Amino acid sequence: RKELEAIIQFFLVFQTHIKVLNGKQPYFLFILTVNGIFMTSLLLSVTELGFVTEARDFSIAEKANLFTIMNASDIFMKLAQGIIADFQPIKKPFKYPMKFLYRFNAVGMAVTMIGAGLVDSLHELATVAAIATFFNANVMMNFSQISGGPLFIDNDISKILLLNFCREIFPESFSSAVGLQSLANVVISFLFPTVAGLLKQHFGDFRAGLFFLSASVFTAVILWLLVA
């Protein structure tokens, strides 16, 4: 009975948020889906790197070094992305500069996913992973709070950037974005790991998950450009 009540409450909340969006429902729901794909792919790509290290027979010390490099690089890349977000030559030419940066870095993120699946040595994978943190930092900072919840990363910087991004596109329905994005993330975060696992089993290739995530991000960006 509790499960049924939870499902009913889910749809009631969903319906309430949809009504708030008025005539923007199709495009708004599309943005929620794209954002969910980006964030879910980012988070899963870190897990997929673990499978890469296992398949390449990296030692425990090499795995530790790899993730130390990634964590150290992430700190500096977030700083760099914050500076770029405030860079006036980028703000002036674009009506929605945050949206431009978000899509650009999503493409870079997808490229590095492919690269991570193609390299063999620790040095090569560490280089690709360090480059990936640059693109991942923007994706995470722009929408990490709207993907909010216990499973997603949240920080003060992301809150500031989130306001810039969402309010520049949907200034009148920001509160609905927060609620609906959480619902979208639940669905996508369930589907993507399942599909990635099935593809790895079907093809017998540990890289199938990374390639699937990369293809999903590429497809989402292309569709967003066409729709916009």
Side-chain angles (χ1 to χ4, degrees):
R1 184 174 179 178
K2 290 182 179 180
E3 289 78 4
L4 180 59
E5 291 177 352
I7 294 174
I8 294 174
Q9 185 64 27
F10 174 91
F11 284 105
L12 288 176
V13 172
F14 185 81
Q15 184 181 23
T16 300
H17 285 303
I18 288 296
K19 289 180 179 178
V20 175
L21 300 178
N22 296 323
K24 296 181 179 179
Q25 294 98 324
Y27 181 61
F28 194 90
L29 292 176
F30 173 76
I31 294 298
L32 295 181
T33 303
V34 168
N35 179 56
I37 290 173
F38 288 174
M39 284 300 301
T40 302
S41 297
L42 185 157
L43 296 172
L44 290 177
S45 66
V46 178
T47 303
E48 293 296 326
L49 283 179
F51 293 117
V52 173
T53 61
E54 290 290 338
R56 300 305 187 201
D57 292 324
F58 288 178
S59 67
I60 295 177
E62 288 176 325
K63 294 176 184 178
N65 290 335
L66 173 64
F67 288 104
T68 298
I69 292 171
M70 290 176 59
N71 289 330
S73 177
D74 182 63
I75 296 172
F76 294 102
M77 294 309 178
K78 279 190 171 69
L79 175 62
Q81 285 288 1
I83 294 173
I84 292 173
D86 289 330
F87 198 44
Q88 290 301 320
I90 292 180
K91 283 187 173 182
K92 290 181 180 179
F94 301 100
K95 183 178 180 181
Y96 301 124
M98 290 293 177
K99 182 171 70 172
F100 164 75
L101 289 173
Y102 188 61
R103 293 190 297 203
F104 174 81
N105 285 281
V107 171
M109 179 178 70
V111 172
T112 56
M113 288 179 190
I114 296 176
L118 298 178
V119 298
D120 295 316
S121 69
L122 172 64
H123 297 295
E124 292 173 335
L125 184 58
T127 301
V128 172
I131 295 173
T133 59
F134 175 78
F135 301 114
N136 294 354
N138 179 274
V139 175
M140 189 177 295
M141 289 168 66
N142 265 319
F143 261 166
S144 58
Q145 187 191 358
I146 206 170
S147 301
L151 298 180
F152 294 89
I153 296 174
D154 186 15
N155 53 58
D156 293 336
I157 296 177
S158 70
K159 293 177 182 179
I160 297 172
L161 293 177
L162 169 69
L163 295 177
N164 291 336
F165 184 92
C166 292
R167 284 182 173 157
E168 76 177 8
I169 302 178
F170 303 109
E172 298 176 357
S173 51
F174 175 74
S175 296
S176 294
V178 176
L180 281 173
Q181 186 63 70
S182 297
L183 299 180
N185 281 330
V186 170
V187 176
I188 295 173
S189 61
F190 171 76
L191 290 177
F192 269 45
T194 303
V195 174
L198 291 174
L199 288 174
K200 282 186 281 190
Q201 289 182 355
H202 178 74
F203 292 104
D205 191 336
F206 69 93
R207 301 173 299 178
L210 276 172
F211 294 158
F212 164 70
L213 297 176
S214 178
S216 299
V217 173
F218 271 125
T219 303
V221 173
I222 292 172
L223 290 176
W224 193 356
L225 291 172
L226 294 175
V227 170

